[in-house]
Amino acid sequence: IETVGLILLVARLADFVVDPIIGYTSDHTTWRLGRRRSWVLLGAPVFALGVYMLFLPPRGADEYHLLIWIAVFYLGWTMITIPYGAWGAELSGDYNERSRITGVREIFTLVGLALASAIPVAVGVGAAQGDGVSGGYWIAMEALGWTIVALTPICVAIMFWSTPEPQPRERKPVSMWKGAKAALTNWPFVRLFFATLGVRMGSRAVEVLFLFYLVDAVGLSRAEGNHFPLALIVSAIAFAPLWIWLGGAITKHKALSLAMGTACIVFATLPFVQHAGYWPNLFLFIVIGAVFSAPYTLGQSIAADVVDLDSLKTREPRAGLLISFFGLAIKGGDAVGAGLALILVGMLGFDSTADVKTPEAVNALTSAFSLLPIVFYVPAIALIWSFPITPVVQRRIRSLIERRIKIEMEVHRRRQEAHKT
């Protein structure tokens, strides 16, 4: 177990080097197929190969097999997701249209999570009757692996043929180090980076303690507890259009703050309905799922507005690099939030392997589950509530960028005419 944990840690730490390189390189790709789609096309077979070797390993696979192919898996995923996220940020310069683009994209992401959750349950239950729990587990993993490998080229083909990629119209190359410095002096970027970090830390803390809380604190059976993740995902999908609309009605940062504030109220309420049974707890978790979709739908849209400000300052479209930095906030938040939550409940006396949980251990689990999200969300709300890029500011930024592009194009045209003369 320790070896597996070390391998996963090393693979994740490598992302802090690989992600910015992929983001920077995709910004400067000049291949005929496009900056973003070329990288997605290159990353898809790498990702599919990594999935195949991880989910359907050969007999006798050891820790070296895991190390090699988890690295391939993460590399392929990075090659897809960073250009993919930058592509979405560049599709529109309109404040509200960006929310619709990222919202629809994340809805399909959640649909994919629901499908991934349903496949092991459907396959594993049937397999367990004949082959036992272990057999059911491996068959479920194989089913997941084949599903991902089969759907990857189909989804990439749909994206490739149905989605245009805007051509960058301004180019003033900036080194990656100067670009990073420009990002660090971009105050809206810094605020959104740390807000993203806080939201992910709180959300991941909830995820790793999720089933422990439902079974050991609420007192549900594992079968009942397994209903809750699906309820969360379905609720997130159903309420995503609400956040898209609300982002246009009251601004994206206010809508996101409202969602996170609602989450804080719900988590503070959980201990009071802890022993109320299945349905009251399910209702509160449906509300949690509803607000959890706000960061998915609105966070990436706000990131696209931050990219505009960066482009105005640096005179270079650098969506790939900035999206990679936000990806690091997500990955770092996931790692720290999960690790901190597990370490904290362990220090407070909760042991998931104990046959009988003491009241003190259960109280520690309940406190951590309900308070950790609030501790992380409140600073994130403070950072995002008065976010400076409002619709008016964003339109002004876009206007300045478009004006500068027109001037540069006119200067370029006159130089060509003078050269011909």
Side-chain angles (χ1 to χ4, degrees), residues 287-304:
V287 177
I288 292 173
V291 299
F292 269 17
S293 65
Y296 286 100
T297 55
L298 298 176
Q300 290 290 323
S301 181
I302 299 174

Side-chain angles (χ1 to χ4, degrees), residues 286-317:
I286 289 174
V287 177
I288 292 173
V291 299
F292 269 17
S293 65
Y296 286 100
T297 55
L298 298 176
Q300 290 290 323
S301 181
I302 299 174
D305 298 335
V306 172
V307 169
D308 275 348
L309 179 59
D310 178 82
S311 296
L312 182 64
K313 293 176 64 177
T314 64
R315 296 189 172 215
E316 183 183 22

Side-chain angles (χ1 to χ4, degrees), residues 3-232:
T3 302
V4 172
L6 179 60
I7 290 172
L8 294 175
L9 177 62
V10 170
R12 273 306 183 190
L13 289 176
D15 287 341
F16 285 81
V17 176
V18 174
D19 284 20
I21 293 175
I22 296 294
Y24 178 83
T25 307
S26 74
D27 285 335
H28 295 82
T29 297
T30 56
W31 294 325
R32 183 173 59 85
L33 291 178
R35 294 188 303 160
R36 310 305 181 190
R37 65 174 69 195
S38 297
W39 278 94
V40 174
L41 290 174
L42 287 173
V46 177
F47 169 71
L49 178 61
V51 169
Y52 179 84
M53 297 303 293
L54 288 175
F55 284 74
L56 295 93
R59 292 185 179 274
D62 55 14
E63 62 270 18
Y64 297 105
H65 176 93
L66 175 62
L67 176 61
I68 292 170
W69 294 109
I70 197 73
V72 173
F73 171 86
Y74 282 144
L75 175 62
W77 187 240
T78 298
M79 292 171 68
I80 293 173
T81 54
I82 291 178
Y84 176 69
W87 190 351
E90 294 168 338
L91 282 177
S92 175
D94 182 75
Y95 182 85
N96 293 324
E97 182 66 18
R98 283 176 167 169
S99 295
R100 289 189 284 271
I101 291 171
T102 57
V104 171
R105 183 181 69 193
E106 297 308 323
I107 286 173
F108 279 98
T109 300
L110 293 169
V111 170
L113 289 173
L115 178 63
S117 300
I119 289 175
V121 173
V123 177
V125 170
Q129 294 175 355
D131 301 323
V133 175
S134 178
Y137 171 80
W138 285 109
I139 292 175
M141 291 296 100
E142 289 178 356
L144 261 177
W146 280 118
T147 301
I148 297 171
V149 169
L151 288 179
T152 296
I154 296 174
C155 294
V156 169
I158 293 172
M159 178 193 64
F160 183 86
W161 293 111
S162 65
T163 309
E165 181 181 347
Q167 292 295 323
R169 292 179 293 177
E170 55 179 345
R171 175 77 65 186
K172 183 182 179 183
V174 176
S175 70
M176 188 165 67
W177 299 115
K178 288 184 178 179
K181 183 179 179 180
L184 292 175
T185 58
N186 182 339
W187 179 231
F189 167 83
V190 174
R191 288 176 65 166
L192 185 61
F193 179 91
F194 284 104
T196 302
L197 186 68
V199 170
R200 293 297 298 198
M201 289 171 67
S203 301
R204 184 59 69 180
V206 170
E207 290 176 18
V208 297
L209 299 178
F210 192 84
L211 194 57
F212 297 139
Y213 174 78
L214 293 174
V215 174
D216 296 317
V218 178
L220 303 180
S221 67
R222 285 192 173 269
E224 290 174 325
N226 287 334
H227 299 165
F228 282 64
L230 184 59
L232 277 170

